[in-house]
Amino acid sequence: MDNLFLTPKEIAEKTVAAGKMKTSLSTVKMLILGILSGIFIALGAEGSNLAACHLLASPDSFFLGKTIAGAVFGAGLMMVVLAGAELFTGNSLIFMGVLDGEVKASAMLKNWLFVYIGNFIGGIFTALIVVNSGQLKAGGAELGGMTIKIAAGKVGGSFFCFLLLGVLCNFLVCLAVWMATAAKDIGGKLWAIFFPIMLFVISGFEHSVANMYYIPAGIFAKAVPAYLKAAMDLGLTEEQISSLNWVTLFTGNLIPVTIGNVLGGTLLVALPLWIAYRRKEAK
């Protein structure tokens, strides 16, 4: 009987082949599949906010809320993997193909650039729809207030701390993709994704693509008086609210988190696994 999953060596071979395929896509396909992936991850983020909102609002139930948010968020990466979309963070594994000599570094960087742009478009697009749909009125606008509070918290830390949180996040995301590649059936792929993603959300690690929804959603939401009042009722100060803007989206979060995500995916996952399972086969 065939094995139910691939060996690590076989996963490495498939990962290199996937990197070659991803870098051979046209720019238009990279953008389209990147946008879809941005939407998928944004919907996972939106759903996790809704599921855990009330629990996150209270210190007594905060950790339970994080657990529920983690259980829901993984749906985003499940859709990415099974639908065949392009996710910037997971594409850190293309680095294995570069180490193998099968993928040019320039081709990898091109993929990262256009997929990142696509992910960003998808995240903002979803944030616009969610805020304008009125969904954030849920719980007497508590969801709107929590959306602003979460976003403000993501631009209020130090550069170095967010970089490290980005490293740990993509370590787990790339491991989730790696393990999902091992599974030969859909159920196996879903379970392989579920636990590492749940772990990164519970731990509060930072995912650049998810933040392309979380932070714009908060920026859009704070323009609605009812949501702004709800955020202040949750303890958010005027200074924290004013610091949530399009400049701090990048300087306070996306730049350090993106750097951390790249380092975590390439140096902590792709590199050691390539050394362990592909170095002798490399050209």
Side-chain angles (χ1 to χ4, degrees), residues 252-273:
N253 189 279
L254 285 188
I255 292 175
V257 170
T258 299
I259 294 171
N261 287 168
V262 170
L263 294 176
T266 57
L267 301 185
L268 296 187
V269 182
L271 176 60
L273 291 174

Side-chain angles (χ1 to χ4, degrees), residues 13-258:
E13 183 179 351
K14 287 198 70 173
T15 300
V16 170
K20 292 173 65 177
M21 181 276 295
K22 288 173 178 292
T23 53
S24 68
L25 293 171
S26 68
T27 300
V28 172
K29 287 185 178 180
M30 289 179 191
L31 282 170
I32 291 173
L33 294 175
I35 290 170
L36 286 175
S37 191
I39 294 171
F40 295 156
I41 296 298
L43 290 174
E46 167 271 321
S48 68
N49 272 0
L50 178 58
C53 171
H54 188 64
L55 295 171
L56 293 172
S58 170
D60 293 334
S61 57
F62 177 80
F63 298 105
L64 176 59
K66 292 290 285 184
T67 302
I68 292 175
V72 174
F73 183 88
L77 185 59
M78 292 174 188
M79 290 187 282
V80 170
V81 170
L82 296 182
E86 289 289 303
L87 181 64
F88 169 76
T89 46
N91 283 5
S92 292
L93 291 174
I94 296 174
F95 186 58
M96 188 173 283
V98 174
L99 295 171
D100 220 49
E102 296 287 345
V103 176
K104 291 183 178 180
S106 59
M108 176 185 70
L109 294 174
K110 176 185 175 182
N111 176 276
W112 286 357
L113 173 62
F114 287 104
V115 168
Y116 191 90
I117 293 171
N119 292 167
F120 189 76
I121 294 170
I124 289 185
F125 174 76
T126 308
L128 271 171
I129 290 179
V130 168
V131 174
N132 286 288
S133 71
Q135 186 206 50
L136 300 188
K137 295 176 182 177
E142 185 178 45
L143 179 57
M146 184 56 65
T147 297
I148 298 170
K149 185 174 182 178
I150 289 172
K154 288 181 174 293
V155 298
S158 74
F159 188 100
F160 185 64
C161 286
F162 275 124
L163 186 148
L164 293 180
L165 292 171
V167 169
L168 292 173
C169 171
N170 210 30
F171 176 75
L172 290 171
V173 170
C174 286
L175 283 178
V177 173
W178 175 270
M179 293 191 298
T181 303
K184 295 183 178 181
D185 65 295
I186 290 178
K189 290 182 183 295
L190 297 183
W191 280 115
I193 291 168
F194 181 83
F195 289 103
I197 300 306
M198 185 178 188
L199 179 57
F200 108 63
V201 175
I202 290 174
S203 302
F205 300 151
E206 291 289 319
H207 189 269
S208 57
V209 179
N211 291 345
M212 294 171 185
Y213 167 80
Y214 282 125
I215 300 173
I219 293 172
F220 294 139
K222 78 172 190 174
V224 180
Y227 304 155
L228 184 59
K229 180 180 182 303
M232 298 184 77
D233 289 343
L234 290 170
L236 215 59
T237 66
E238 291 185 5
E239 182 181 357
Q240 289 173 307
I241 292 169
S242 65
S243 69
L244 175 60
N245 54 63
W246 295 108
V247 174
T248 56
L249 164 64
F250 293 97
T251 60
N253 189 279
L254 285 188
I255 292 175
V257 170
T258 299

